[in-house]
Coordinates of all heavy atoms in Angstrom, one line a residue:
P1 N -19.9 -0.6 62.4 CA -18.7 0.2 62.2 C -19.0 1.5 61.6 O -20.0 1.7 60.8 CB -17.8 -0.7 61.3 CG -18.8 -1.7 60.7 CD -20.0 -1.8 61.6
R2 N -18.1 2.5 61.8 CA -18.2 3.8 61.2 C -16.8 4.3 60.9 O -15.9 4.0 61.5 CB -19.0 4.8 62.0 CG -18.3 5.1 63.3 CD -19.3 6.0 64.2 NE -18.8 6.2 65.5 CZ -17.9 7.1 65.9 NH1 -17.4 8.0 65.0 NH2 -17.5 7.2 67.1
E3 N -16.8 5.1 59.9 CA -15.5 5.7 59.4 C -15.1 6.8 60.3 O -15.8 7.8 60.5 CB -15.6 6.1 58.0 CG -14.4 6.7 57.4 CD -14.5 7.1 55.9 OE1 -14.6 6.2 55.1 OE2 -14.6 8.3 55.7
L4 N -13.8 6.8 60.8 CA -13.3 7.9 61.6 C -12.6 8.9 60.7 O -12.6 10.1 61.0 CB -12.4 7.4 62.7 CG -13.0 6.5 63.8 CD1 -11.9 6.1 64.8 CD2 -14.1 7.3 64.5
M5 N -11.9 8.4 59.7 CA -11.2 9.3 58.8 C -11.0 8.5 57.5 O -11.0 7.3 57.5 CB -9.9 9.8 59.4 CG -8.8 8.7 59.5 SD -7.3 9.5 60.1 CE -6.1 8.6 59.0
D6 N -10.9 9.3 56.4 CA -10.6 8.7 55.1 C -9.1 8.6 55.0 O -8.4 9.6 55.2 CB -11.2 9.7 54.1 CG -10.9 9.2 52.7 OD1 -10.3 8.1 52.5 OD2 -11.3 9.9 51.7
I7 N -8.6 7.4 54.8 CA -7.1 7.2 54.7 C -6.6 7.7 53.4 O -6.1 6.9 52.6 CB -6.7 5.8 55.0 CG1 -7.3 5.3 56.3 CG2 -5.2 5.6 55.0 CD1 -6.7 5.9 57.6
S8 N -6.8 8.9 53.1 CA -6.3 9.5 51.8 C -5.2 10.5 52.1 O -5.0 11.4 51.3 CB -7.5 10.1 51.0 OG -8.0 11.2 51.8
L9 N -4.5 10.3 53.2 CA -3.4 11.2 53.5 C -2.2 10.8 52.6 O -2.1 9.7 52.1 CB -3.0 11.0 55.0 CG -4.0 11.3 56.0 CD1 -3.6 10.8 57.4 CD2 -4.3 12.8 56.1
E10 N -1.4 11.8 52.3 CA -0.2 11.6 51.6 C 0.7 10.7 52.4 O 1.1 11.1 53.5 CB 0.5 12.9 51.2 CG -0.3 13.8 50.3 CD -0.4 13.2 48.9 OE1 0.6 12.6 48.4 OE2 -1.4 13.4 48.3
G11 N 1.1 9.5 51.9 CA 2.0 8.7 52.7 C 1.3 7.4 53.1 O 0.1 7.2 52.8
D12 N 2.0 6.6 53.9 CA 1.5 5.3 54.4 C 1.1 5.5 55.9 O 1.8 6.2 56.6 CB 2.5 4.2 54.3 CG 2.9 3.9 52.9 OD1 2.0 3.9 52.0 OD2 4.1 3.6 52.6
V13 N 0.0 4.8 56.3 CA -0.4 4.9 57.7 C -0.3 3.5 58.2 O -0.5 2.5 57.5 CB -1.8 5.5 57.8 CG1 -1.8 7.0 57.4 CG2 -2.8 4.7 57.1
G14 N -0.2 3.4 59.6 CA -0.1 2.1 60.3 C 0.1 2.3 61.7 O 0.3 3.4 62.2
G15 N 0.2 1.2 62.4 CA 0.5 1.2 63.9 C -0.6 1.8 64.7 O -0.4 2.5 65.7
F16 N -1.8 1.5 64.3 CA -3.0 2.0 65.1 C -3.1 1.5 66.5 O -3.0 0.3 66.7 CB -4.3 1.7 64.3 CG -4.4 2.4 63.0 CD1 -3.9 1.7 61.8 CD2 -4.8 3.7 62.9 CE1 -4.0 2.4 60.6 CE2 -4.9 4.3 61.6 CZ -4.5 3.7 60.5
N17 N -3.3 2.3 67.5 CA -3.5 2.0 68.9 C -4.5 2.9 69.5 O -4.4 4.1 69.4 CB -2.2 2.0 69.6 CG -1.2 0.9 69.4 OD1 -1.4 -0.1 70.0 ND2 -0.3 1.1 68.4
W18 N -5.4 2.3 70.3 CA -6.3 3.1 71.1 C -5.6 3.7 72.3 O -4.8 3.0 72.9 CB -7.5 2.3 71.6 CG -8.5 2.0 70.5 CD1 -8.6 0.8 69.8 CD2 -9.6 2.8 70.1 NE1 -9.7 0.9 68.9 CE2 -10.3 2.1 69.1 CE3 -10.1 4.1 70.5 CZ2 -11.4 2.6 68.5 CZ3 -11.2 4.6 69.9 CH2 -11.9 3.9 68.9
T19 N -5.9 4.9 72.8 CA -5.5 5.3 74.1 C -6.3 4.6 75.1 O -7.4 4.1 74.9 CB -5.6 6.9 74.2 OG1 -7.0 7.2 74.0 CG2 -4.7 7.6 73.2
L20 N -5.7 4.6 76.3 CA -6.4 3.8 77.4 C -7.8 4.3 77.7 O -8.7 3.5 78.0 CB -5.5 3.9 78.7 CG -5.9 3.0 79.9 CD1 -5.9 1.6 79.5 CD2 -5.0 3.3 81.0
D21 N -8.0 5.6 77.6 CA -9.3 6.2 77.9 C -10.3 6.0 76.8 O -11.5 6.3 76.9 CB -9.2 7.7 78.3 CG -8.7 8.5 77.2 OD1 -8.5 8.0 76.0 OD2 -8.4 9.7 77.4
G22 N -9.8 5.4 75.6 CA -10.7 5.2 74.5 C -11.1 6.4 73.7 O -11.9 6.3 72.8
R23 N -10.5 7.6 74.0 CA -11.0 8.8 73.4 C -10.2 9.1 72.0 O -10.7 9.9 71.2 CB -10.8 10.0 74.3 CG -11.6 10.0 75.5 CD -11.4 11.2 76.3 NE -12.3 11.1 77.5 CZ -12.3 12.1 78.4 NH1 -11.5 13.1 78.3 NH2 -13.1 12.0 79.4
H24 N -9.1 8.5 71.9 CA -8.3 8.8 70.7 C -7.6 7.5 70.1 O -7.5 6.5 70.8 CB -7.1 9.7 71.0 CG -7.6 11.1 71.4 ND1 -7.9 11.4 72.8 CD2 -7.8 12.2 70.7 CE1 -8.3 12.6 72.8 NE2 -8.3 13.2 71.6
I25 N -7.2 7.6 68.9 CA -6.4 6.5 68.2 C -5.1 7.2 67.8 O -5.1 8.3 67.2 CB -7.1 5.9 67.0 CG1 -8.4 5.3 67.5 CG2 -6.2 4.9 66.3 CD1 -9.3 4.8 66.3
L26 N -4.0 6.6 68.2 CA -2.7 7.0 67.7 C -2.3 6.2 66.5 O -2.6 5.0 66.4 CB -1.7 6.8 68.8 CG -1.9 7.5 70.1 CD1 -0.8 7.2 71.1 CD2 -2.0 9.0 69.9
F27 N -1.6 6.8 65.6 CA -1.1 6.0 64.5 C 0.2 6.8 63.8 O 0.5 7.9 64.2 CB -2.1 5.8 63.4 CG -2.7 7.1 62.7 CD1 -2.2 7.5 61.5 CD2 -3.7 7.8 63.3 CE1 -2.7 8.6 60.9 CE2 -4.2 8.9 62.7 CZ -3.7 9.4 61.5
L28 N 0.9 6.1 63.0 CA 2.0 6.6 62.3 C 1.6 7.0 60.9 O 0.9 6.3 60.2 CB 3.1 5.6 62.2 CG 3.7 5.1 63.5 CD1 4.7 4.0 63.2 CD2 4.4 6.2 64.3
L29 N 2.1 8.1 60.4 CA 2.0 8.6 59.1 C 3.4 8.7 58.5 O 4.2 9.6 58.9 CB 1.3 9.9 59.0 CG 1.2 10.6 57.6 CD1 0.4 9.7 56.6 CD2 0.6 12.0 57.7
R30 N 3.7 7.7 57.6 CA 5.0 7.7 57.0 C 4.9 8.5 55.7 O 4.2 8.1 54.8 CB 5.5 6.3 56.8 CG 5.8 5.6 58.1 CD 6.3 4.2 57.9 NE 5.2 3.3 57.5 CZ 4.3 2.7 58.4 NH1 4.5 2.9 59.7 NH2 3.4 2.0 58.0
E31 N 5.7 9.6 55.6 CA 5.7 10.5 54.4 C 7.1 10.5 53.9 O 8.0 10.0 54.5 CB 5.3 11.9 54.8 CG 4.0 12.0 55.6 CD 3.8 13.4 56.2 OE1 4.5 13.7 57.1 OE2 2.9 14.1 55.7
E32 N 7.2 11.0 52.7 CA 8.6 11.1 52.1 C 9.4 12.0 53.0 O 9.0 13.1 53.3 CB 8.5 11.7 50.7 CG 9.8 11.7 50.0 CD 9.7 12.2 48.5 OE1 8.6 11.9 47.9 OE2 10.6 12.8 48.1
G33 N 10.5 11.5 53.5 CA 11.4 12.3 54.3 C 11.2 12.1 55.8 O 11.8 12.8 56.6
G34 N 10.3 11.3 56.2 CA 10.1 11.1 57.7 C 8.8 10.5 58.0 O 8.0 10.0 57.2
T35 N 8.5 10.5 59.3 CA 7.3 9.9 59.9 C 6.7 10.8 61.0 O 7.5 11.5 61.7 CB 7.6 8.5 60.6 OG1 8.3 7.7 59.7 CG2 6.4 7.8 61.1
A36 N 5.4 10.9 61.1 CA 4.7 11.7 62.1 C 3.9 10.7 62.9 O 3.3 9.8 62.4 CB 3.8 12.7 61.4
V37 N 3.8 11.0 64.2 CA 2.9 10.4 65.1 C 1.7 11.2 65.2 O 1.7 12.4 65.4 CB 3.5 10.3 66.6 CG1 2.5 9.6 67.5 CG2 4.8 9.4 66.6
M38 N 0.5 10.6 64.8 CA -0.7 11.3 64.7 C -1.7 10.8 65.7 O -1.6 9.7 66.2 CB -1.3 11.0 63.3 CG -0.3 11.3 62.1 SD 0.0 13.1 61.9 CE -1.6 13.6 61.1
R39 N -2.7 11.7 66.0 CA -3.8 11.3 66.9 C -5.1 11.8 66.3 O -5.2 12.9 65.7 CB -3.6 12.0 68.2 CG -4.7 11.7 69.2 CD -4.4 12.3 70.6 NE -4.4 13.8 70.5 CZ -3.9 14.6 71.5 NH1 -3.4 14.0 72.6 NH2 -3.9 15.9 71.3
I40 N -6.2 10.9 66.4 CA -7.5 11.3 65.9 C -8.5 10.9 67.0 O -8.4 9.9 67.6 CB -7.8 10.6 64.6 CG1 -9.1 11.1 64.0 CG2 -7.9 9.1 64.7 CD1 -9.4 10.8 62.6
P41 N -9.5 11.8 67.3 CA -10.5 11.5 68.2 C -11.4 10.3 67.8 O -11.6 10.2 66.6 CB -11.3 12.8 68.4 CG -10.6 13.8 67.6 CD -9.7 13.2 66.7
R42 N -11.9 9.6 68.7 CA -12.8 8.4 68.3 C -14.1 8.9 67.6 O -14.7 8.2 66.9 CB -13.1 7.6 69.5 CG -14.1 8.2 70.4 CD -14.6 7.2 71.5 NE -15.5 7.9 72.4 CZ -15.4 7.8 73.7 NH1 -14.6 6.9 74.2 NH2 -16.2 8.4 74.5
S43 N -14.4 10.2 67.8 CA -15.6 10.8 67.2 C -15.3 11.1 65.7 O -16.2 11.5 65.0 CB -16.1 12.0 68.0 OG -15.0 13.0 68.0
G44 N -14.0 11.0 65.3 CA -13.7 11.4 64.0 C -13.2 12.8 63.9 O -13.0 13.5 64.9
G45 N -13.0 13.3 62.7 CA -12.5 14.6 62.5 C -11.1 14.6 61.9 O -10.6 13.6 61.4
D46 N -10.4 15.7 62.0 CA -9.1 15.9 61.5 C -8.0 15.3 62.4 O -8.1 15.5 63.6 CB -8.8 17.4 61.2 CG -9.6 18.0 60.1 OD1 -10.0 17.2 59.2 OD2 -9.9 19.2 60.2
P47 N -7.1 14.5 61.8 CA -6.0 14.0 62.7 C -5.1 15.1 63.1 O -4.9 16.1 62.4 CB -5.3 13.0 61.8 CG -5.7 13.3 60.4 CD -7.0 14.1 60.5
E48 N -4.5 15.0 64.3 CA -3.6 16.0 64.8 C -2.2 15.4 64.8 O -1.9 14.3 65.2 CB -4.0 16.2 66.3 CG -3.1 17.2 67.0 CD -3.5 17.3 68.5 OE1 -4.4 16.7 68.9 OE2 -2.8 18.1 69.2
R49 N -1.2 16.2 64.3 CA 0.2 15.8 64.3 C 0.8 16.1 65.6 O 0.9 17.2 66.0 CB 0.9 16.6 63.2 CG 2.3 16.2 62.9 CD 2.8 17.0 61.7 NE 2.1 16.7 60.5 CZ 2.6 15.9 59.5 NH1 3.8 15.3 59.6 NH2 1.9 15.7 58.4
L50 N 1.2 15.0 66.3 CA 1.8 15.2 67.7 C 3.3 15.4 67.7 O 3.8 16.1 68.5 CB 1.5 13.9 68.5 CG 0.0 13.7 68.8 CD1 -0.1 12.4 69.6 CD2 -0.7 14.8 69.5
W51 N 4.0 14.7 66.8 CA 5.4 14.7 66.7 C 5.9 14.2 65.4 O 5.2 13.4 64.8 CB 6.0 13.8 67.9 CG 7.5 13.8 68.0 CD1 8.3 14.7 68.6 CD2 8.3 12.7 67.6 NE1 9.6 14.3 68.5 CE2 9.6 13.1 68.0 CE3 8.1 11.5 67.0 CZ2 10.7 12.3 67.7 CZ3 9.2 10.7 66.8 CH2 10.5 11.1 67.1
E52 N 7.1 14.6 65.0 CA 7.6 14.1 63.7 C 9.1 14.0 63.8 O 9.8 14.6 64.6 CB 7.1 14.9 62.5 CG 7.5 16.4 62.6 CD 6.7 17.1 61.5 OE1 7.0 16.8 60.3 OE2 5.9 18.0 61.9
T53 N 9.6 13.1 62.9 CA 11.0 12.8 62.8 C 11.4 12.6 61.4 O 10.5 12.3 60.6 CB 11.5 11.6 63.7 OG1 12.9 11.4 63.5 CG2 10.7 10.4 63.3
D54 N 12.7 12.8 61.0 CA 13.1 12.5 59.7 C 13.4 11.0 59.5 O 13.7 10.6 58.4 CB 14.3 13.3 59.3 CG 15.5 13.1 60.2 OD1 15.4 12.3 61.1 OD2 16.6 13.7 59.9
K55 N 13.2 10.2 60.5 CA 13.4 8.7 60.4 C 12.2 8.0 59.9 O 11.1 8.6 60.0 CB 13.8 8.2 61.7 CG 15.1 8.8 62.3 CD 15.7 7.9 63.3 CE 17.0 8.5 63.8 NZ 18.1 8.0 63.1
T56 N 12.3 6.8 59.4 CA 11.2 6.0 58.9 C 10.8 5.1 60.1 O 11.5 4.1 60.4 CB 11.5 5.2 57.7 OG1 11.9 6.1 56.6 CG2 10.4 4.3 57.3
L57 N 9.8 5.4 60.8 CA 9.3 4.6 61.9 C 8.5 3.5 61.4 O 7.6 3.6 60.5 CB 8.6 5.4 62.9 CG 9.3 6.6 63.5 CD1 8.4 7.4 64.5 CD2 10.6 6.2 64.2
T58 N 8.6 2.3 62.0 CA 7.9 1.1 61.6 C 6.9 0.6 62.7 O 6.1 -0.3 62.4 CB 8.8 0.0 61.2 OG1 9.7 -0.3 62.3 CG2 9.7 0.4 60.0
G59 N 7.1 1.0 63.9 CA 6.2 0.5 65.0 C 5.9 1.6 66.0 O 6.7 2.5 66.3
L60 N 4.7 1.5 66.6 CA 4.2 2.4 67.6 C 3.6 1.5 68.7 O 2.7 0.7 68.4 CB 3.2 3.3 67.1 CG 2.6 4.4 68.0 CD1 2.2 5.6 67.2 CD2 1.4 3.9 68.7
F61 N 4.2 1.5 69.9 CA 3.8 0.6 71.0 C 3.5 1.4 72.2 O 4.3 2.2 72.7 CB 4.9 -0.4 71.2 CG 5.4 -1.1 70.0 CD1 6.5 -0.6 69.4 CD2 4.8 -2.2 69.5 CE1 7.0 -1.2 68.2 CE2 5.2 -2.8 68.3 CZ 6.3 -2.3 67.7
L62 N 2.3 1.2 72.8 CA 1.9 1.8 74.1 C 2.4 1.0 75.3 O 2.2 -0.2 75.3 CB 0.4 2.0 74.1 CG -0.1 3.0 73.0 CD1 -1.7 2.9 73.0 CD2 0.3 4.4 73.3
S63 N 2.8 1.7 76.3 CA 3.2 1.0 77.6 C 1.9 0.5 78.2 O 0.8 1.0 77.8 CB 3.9 2.0 78.5 OG 3.0 3.0 78.9
P64 N 1.9 -0.5 79.1 CA 0.7 -1.0 79.7 C -0.2 0.1 80.3 O -1.4 -0.1 80.3 CB 1.2 -2.0 80.8 CG 2.6 -2.4 80.2 CD 3.1 -1.2 79.6
D65 N 0.4 1.1 80.9 CA -0.5 2.2 81.5 C -0.8 3.3 80.5 O -1.5 4.3 80.8 CB 0.2 2.8 82.7 CG 1.5 3.5 82.5 OD1 1.9 3.6 81.3 OD2 2.1 4.0 83.4
H66 N -0.3 3.1 79.3 CA -0.6 4.1 78.1 C 0.0 5.5 78.4 O -0.5 6.4 77.8 CB -2.0 4.1 77.8 CG -2.5 2.9 77.1 ND1 -3.5 2.9 76.1 CD2 -2.2 1.6 77.2 CE1 -3.7 1.7 75.7 NE2 -3.0 0.9 76.4
R67 N 0.9 5.6 79.3 CA 1.5 6.9 79.6 C 2.7 7.2 78.7 O 3.2 8.3 78.7 CB 1.9 7.1 81.0 CG 0.6 7.0 81.9 CD 0.9 7.0 83.4 NE 1.3 8.2 84.0 CZ 0.7 9.3 84.2 NH1 -0.6 9.4 83.7 NH2 1.2 10.3 84.7
M68 N 3.3 6.2 78.0 CA 4.4 6.3 77.2 C 4.2 5.6 75.8 O 3.5 4.6 75.8 CB 5.7 5.8 77.8 CG 6.1 6.5 79.0 SD 7.7 5.9 79.7 CE 7.2 4.3 80.3
V69 N 4.8 6.1 74.8 CA 4.7 5.5 73.5 C 6.1 5.1 73.1 O 7.0 5.9 73.1 CB 4.1 6.4 72.4 CG1 4.1 5.8 71.0 CG2 2.7 6.8 72.8
G70 N 6.3 3.8 72.7 CA 7.6 3.4 72.2 C 7.5 3.5 70.7 O 6.5 3.1 70.1
L71 N 8.6 3.9 70.0 CA 8.6 4.1 68.6 C 9.8 3.3 68.0 O 10.9 3.5 68.5 CB 8.7 5.5 68.2 CG 7.6 6.4 68.7 CD1 7.9 7.9 68.5 CD2 6.3 6.1 68.0
Q72 N 9.6 2.5 67.1 CA 10.7 1.7 66.5 C 11.0 2.2 65.1 O 10.1 2.5 64.3 CB 10.2 0.2 66.3 CG 11.1 -0.7 65.7 CD 10.5 -2.1 65.5 OE1 9.4 -2.3 65.8 NE2 11.4 -3.0 65.1
D73 N 12.3 2.4 64.8 CA 12.7 2.8 63.5 C 13.2 1.7 62.6 O 13.4 0.6 63.1 CB 13.6 4.0 63.5 CG 15.0 3.7 63.9 OD1 15.4 2.6 63.8 OD2 15.7 4.7 64.3
R74 N 13.5 1.9 61.4 CA 13.9 0.9 60.5 C 15.4 0.8 60.4 O 15.9 -0.1 59.7 CB 13.3 1.2 59.1 CG 13.5 0.0 58.1 CD 13.0 0.2 56.8 NE 12.1 1.3 56.5 CZ 11.5 1.5 55.3 NH1 11.8 0.7 54.3 NH2 10.7 2.5 55.1
D75 N 16.2 1.7 61.0 CA 17.6 1.6 60.9 C 18.2 0.4 61.5 O 17.6 -0.2 62.5 CB 18.2 2.9 61.6 CG 18.0 4.2 60.9 OD1 17.6 4.1 59.7 OD2 18.2 5.2 61.5
E76 N 19.3 0.0 61.0 CA 20.0 -1.3 61.5 C 20.5 -1.1 63.0 O 20.7 -2.1 63.7 CB 21.1 -1.6 60.6 CG 20.6 -2.1 59.3 CD 21.8 -2.5 58.4 OE1 22.9 -2.8 58.9 OE2 21.5 -2.6 57.2
E77 N 20.7 0.1 63.4 CA 21.2 0.3 64.8 C 20.1 0.0 65.8 O 20.4 -0.2 67.0 CB 21.6 1.8 65.0 CG 22.9 2.1 64.4 CD 22.7 2.7 63.0 OE1 21.6 3.4 62.8 OE2 23.5 2.5 62.1
G78 N 18.8 -0.1 65.4 CA 17.8 -0.5 66.3 C 17.4 0.5 67.4 O 17.3 0.1 68.5
E79 N 17.3 1.7 67.0 CA 17.0 2.7 68.1 C 15.6 2.5 68.6 O 14.7 2.0 67.9 CB 17.1 4.1 67.5 CG 18.5 4.6 67.1 CD 18.5 6.0 66.5 OE1 17.4 6.6 66.4 OE2 19.6 6.4 66.1
L80 N 15.3 2.9 69.8 CA 14.0 2.9 70.4 C 13.7 4.3 71.0 O 14.5 4.8 71.7 CB 13.9 1.8 71.5 CG 12.6 1.8 72.3 CD1 11.5 1.3 71.3 CD2 12.7 0.8 73.4
W81 N 12.7 4.9 70.6 CA 12.3 6.2 71.0 C 11.1 6.1 71.9 O 10.3 5.2 71.8 CB 11.9 7.1 69.8 CG 13.0 7.3 68.8 CD1 13.7 6.3 68.1 CD2 13.5 8.5 68.4 NE1 14.6 6.9 67.3 CE2 14.5 8.3 67.4 CE3 13.2 9.8 68.7 CZ2 15.2 9.3 66.8 CZ3 13.9 10.8 68.1 CH2 14.9 10.6 67.1
V82 N 11.0 7.0 72.9 CA 9.9 7.0 73.8 C 9.3 8.4 73.8 O 10.0 9.4 73.8 CB 10.3 6.6 75.3 CG1 9.1 6.8 76.2 CG2 10.9 5.2 75.3
M83 N 8.0 8.5 73.8 CA 7.2 9.7 73.7 C 6.3 9.8 75.0 O 5.6 8.8 75.3 CB 6.4 9.7 72.5 CG 5.6 11.0 72.2 SD 4.8 10.8 70.6 CE 3.4 11.8 70.9
E84 N 6.4 10.8 75.8 CA 5.6 10.9 77.0 C 4.7 12.2 76.9 O 4.9 13.1 76.1 CB 6.5 11.1 78.2 CG 7.5 9.9 78.4 CD 8.4 10.1 79.6 OE1 9.5 10.7 79.4 OE2 8.0 9.6 80.6
N85 N 3.7 12.2 77.8 CA 2.8 13.3 77.9 C 2.1 13.7 76.6 O 2.0 14.8 76.2 CB 3.5 14.6 78.4 CG 4.1 14.3 79.8 OD1 3.5 13.7 80.6 ND2 5.3 14.8 80.0
F86 N 1.6 12.7 75.9 CA 0.9 12.9 74.6 C -0.6 12.9 74.8 O -1.3 13.3 73.8 CB 1.3 11.8 73.6 CG 0.9 10.4 74.1 CD1 -0.4 9.9 73.8 CD2 1.7 9.6 74.9 CE1 -0.8 8.6 74.2 CE2 1.3 8.4 75.3 CZ 0.1 7.9 75.0
L87 N -1.1 12.6 75.9 CA -2.6 12.7 76.1 C -3.0 14.1 76.4 O -2.3 14.9 77.0 CB -3.0 11.8 77.4 CG -2.9 10.3 77.2 CD1 -3.2 9.6 78.5 CD2 -3.8 9.8 76.1
P88 N -4.2 14.5 76.0 CA -4.7 15.8 76.4 C -4.9 15.8 77.9 O -4.9 14.8 78.5 CB -6.0 15.9 75.6 CG -6.4 14.6 75.2 CD -5.1 13.7 75.2
D89 N -5.0 17.0 78.5 CA -5.1 17.2 79.9 C -6.2 16.3 80.5 O -6.0 15.7 81.6 CB -5.3 18.6 80.3 CG -4.1 19.5 80.2 OD1 -3.0 18.9 80.2 OD2 -4.2 20.7 80.0
E90 N -7.3 16.2 79.9 CA -8.4 15.4 80.5 C -8.0 13.9 80.5 O -8.5 13.1 81.4 CB -9.7 15.5 79.7 CG -9.7 15.0 78.3 CD -9.3 16.0 77.2 OE1 -8.8 17.0 77.5 OE2 -9.5 15.6 76.0
G91 N -7.1 13.4 79.7 CA -6.6 12.0 79.7 C -5.6 11.8 80.9 O -5.3 10.7 81.2
R92 N -5.1 12.9 81.5 CA -4.2 12.7 82.6 C -4.8 13.1 83.9 O -4.1 13.3 84.9 CB -2.9 13.6 82.3 CG -2.1 13.1 81.2 CD -0.8 13.8 81.1 NE -0.9 15.2 80.9 CZ -0.6 15.8 79.7 NH1 -0.3 15.0 78.7 NH2 -0.7 17.1 79.5
G93 N -6.1 13.2 83.9 CA -6.8 13.6 85.2 C -6.8 15.0 85.4 O -7.2 15.5 86.5
G94 N -6.5 15.8 84.4 CA -6.6 17.3 84.6 C -8.0 17.8 84.4 O -8.9 17.1 84.1
S95 N -8.2 19.1 84.5 CA -9.5 19.6 84.5 C -9.9 20.1 83.0 O -11.0 20.5 82.8 CB -9.6 20.8 85.4 OG -8.7 21.8 85.1
G96 N -8.9 20.1 82.1 CA -9.2 20.7 80.8 C -9.4 19.8 79.8 O -9.8 19.9 78.7

């Protein structure tokens, strides 16, 4: 095993999932006032903030083809959010 990042970010992290191509790991960063969906390359380095909301998200779930991310929040209404097109171009078969 090797360390990809030091989990010394401000807030709680969780919901780790590999992308289908194995190049990145997605995870949630729960901070005061909201949650961010983050991505880090498998080679390590700085995490990238992909999206954020003022809600407290508790789950991050990838669709079977990994083209969509479902996000679960803690509210009693039970909202479900979906995030699309989060892979870099090379993960979608692009040239870049």
